[in-house]
Each structure stands twice: as structure tokens, then as C-alpha cells.
Amino acid sequence: MEDKKSMYSLRKTIGILGLALPILLLVTHQQLLSSMSHYYYTAGGVFFILILSAFGLILINYRGYPKQEGELFSDRLITTVAGICILVTVLVPTKSENPLGTLFFTDTPYLFGHQSNSLLGTIHLLSAAFFFFLLGYMSFYKFVLNHNASASRNRLFKRSGIIVWASVGALIVIFAIEKILKINMDEIFPAYTFWLEWVAVYAFAVAWLVKGKIHLDVEKMMKTFSQEKSLE
């Protein structure tokens, strides 16, 4: 029972941190940048590094359910690889070029910050993309394996996975268009990467909150509030 409670708690933590991440970045820096990754070079970098590192550590330590017959990968394997990917994303940040807004730490960036290193930039992009892909995989394939779950919950998990994959797919297509046509899509749709990342983060955050049975906490809180009001 304690193991289950711990697993629910980890799921809700991932969901809450996911919902908080883009808001904290915007509130802290108060400027819209090309992507969430660019906030690494601002005062919002503390939240970017802390929350993504928390994702990594939680996912690496997340057990999930044992692999069932017919499954290709266990929960543990998927979340461990996803955790490693997001830690690589933190350790190897994006380039500090073309951020749209002001960056604070471009002269002496901490960790492995750089202005325009194509190899490091590629490692960052691939690790972030693979992280999102695996979180989408968890929502679409893994979260629906509970046969006691309602059909509506499973539909939500599948939709969350699809939204995560669609967001990443859209970014890949736009990056390809930019390369082929040699244009900057930020001039047409400012911060398109940031907004698509926000959609993907919120999609998997909601899935993890629902999988963590956040509704039970809300119901308990509402019940406690009602009891306190009735005693007044």
C-alpha cells in the first residue's frame, strides 16, 4: 500500500511541476523567448534547471508496473531512459542565439552553456525530443493498461500521448522547413517552439496528474473544507 501511495505521489509531483514550469519561466524573466530552453540563460534558469532535474531524478527512480506479457518495454526502462534524456537536456543546453528577448548569462554561462555550438545544440534537441516521445509513449501505451480504469480516463491518456507526439512532430516539420527554405519561422510565429513545448508539457502533466489520482486529493480537500464550514 505504501508503495502505491509513493507512486501516486511521484506521478502528481511530475504533473504539478509540469504545470508550473512555463508559468514560472515567464513570471521570473517576464520576457517571451524562442523556447523554454533559452530561459536557461536568464534568471528563470534556476527553475528550468531545478524542475527538469527533478523530472530526471523522479523518472529514474520511478518503478511503475512490471512488464506484462506482450509488452516490449517495462515502465522502469522507459522512465529511466526518459529521465536520463532530460538530465542531458539540462547539462547540455541549447545555443543562446536568437532568443527573441534578453539573455543574462551569455558571456559566462554556467554548466555547458554556449553561444552557437552545433554539436551541443543537436545533442540538446535530440535528448529533449526523445524525452517528449517517451512521455507520450507512457501516456498512450502504458497508462491505459489498467483494466479497472474508466474508458474516459483511458481516452484522456491516449489523447495526451497524441498531443505530445503531435507537438514534437510539428516542431520537427517546422525545423525542416526553416532549413530547406532558409527562413526564420519566429518572424512569422514568434516563439512557436515555446508554445508547442508548453502544449506538450501540459499534455503529459495532465496525464500524470490523472494517473496519480489527483481527483481524490481534490475531493478530500473539498470534503474537509465543507466540514469546516459546517462547524462555523
Side-chain angles (χ1 to χ4, degrees):
M1 185 64 177
E2 195 59 39
D3 252 7
K4 269 197 170 182
K5 283 185 178 179
S6 175
M7 196 155 58
Y8 291 150
S9 180
L10 290 177
R11 290 169 181 165
K12 284 180 285 195
T13 301
I14 288 176
I16 291 167
L17 290 176
L19 295 182
L21 176 61
I23 295 171
L24 288 172
L25 295 179
L26 281 175
V27 168
T28 306
H29 186 56
Q30 298 182 2
Q31 268 188 304
L32 186 61
L33 301 182
S34 298
S35 71
M36 289 189 193
S37 296
H38 280 97
Y39 287 88
Y40 168 91
Y41 297 100
T42 72
V46 64
F47 291 115
F48 179 80
I49 293 171
L50 283 174
I51 291 177
L52 266 61
S53 297
F55 280 161
L57 295 174
I58 291 171
L59 288 169
I60 288 171
N61 285 283
Y62 180 80
R63 290 185 181 180
Y65 294 105
K67 187 169 72 168
Q68 298 179 18
E69 187 178 347
E71 285 189 275
L72 288 174
F73 310 107
S74 66
D75 289 9
R76 188 72 184 270
L77 176 61
I78 295 168
T79 57
T80 298
V81 175
I84 292 169
C85 285
I86 201 62
L87 290 177
V88 171
T89 303
V90 174
L91 290 170
V92 185
T94 190
K95 63 183 182 180
S96 61
E97 281 187 342
N98 303 320
L100 289 181
T102 304
L103 298 182
F104 295 149
F105 303 128
T106 51
D107 293 330
T108 54
Y110 34 79
L111 295 179
F112 302 108
H114 56 97
Q115 187 170 355
S116 184
N117 185 308
S118 58
L119 174 61
L120 295 180
T122 301
I123 291 171
H124 176 86
L125 283 174
L126 290 176
S127 59
F130 204 44
F131 165 77
F132 278 119
F133 172 80
L134 290 173
L135 268 291
Y137 187 94
M138 282 294 293
S139 293
F140 192 89
Y141 287 110
K142 290 292 193 173
F143 284 179
V144 300
L145 293 178
N146 181 1
H147 300 298
N148 296 322
S150 66
S152 60
R153 276 167 58 89
N154 285 341
R155 281 196 299 270
L156 181 145
F157 295 143
K158 283 190 172 289
R159 286 169 184 166
S160 295
I162 290 169
I163 291 170
V164 172
W165 287 339
S167 300
V168 175
L171 284 173
I172 292 171
V173 170
I174 295 171
F175 291 159
I177 291 172
E178 285 185 318
K179 288 287 185 185
I180 295 168
L181 301 182
K182 300 188 185 307
I183 60 174
N184 182 5
M185 288 294 288
D186 275 318
E187 294 175 359
I188 302 168
F189 182 9
Y192 68 87
T193 302
F194 178 89
W195 296 118
L196 285 170
E197 286 174 335
W198 192 328
V199 171
V201 168
Y202 265 41
F204 80 66
V206 168
W208 282 78
L209 281 172
V210 173
K211 191 66 175 174
K213 303 199 175 201
I214 190 70
H215 66 285
L216 295 181
D217 296 299
V218 173
E219 288 172 6
K220 185 178 178 181
M221 185 174 64
M222 293 299 293
K223 186 177 179 181
T224 303
F225 178 75
S226 298
Q227 288 174 344
E228 288 176 353
K229 289 294 286 183
S230 65
L231 292 173
E232 289 179 0

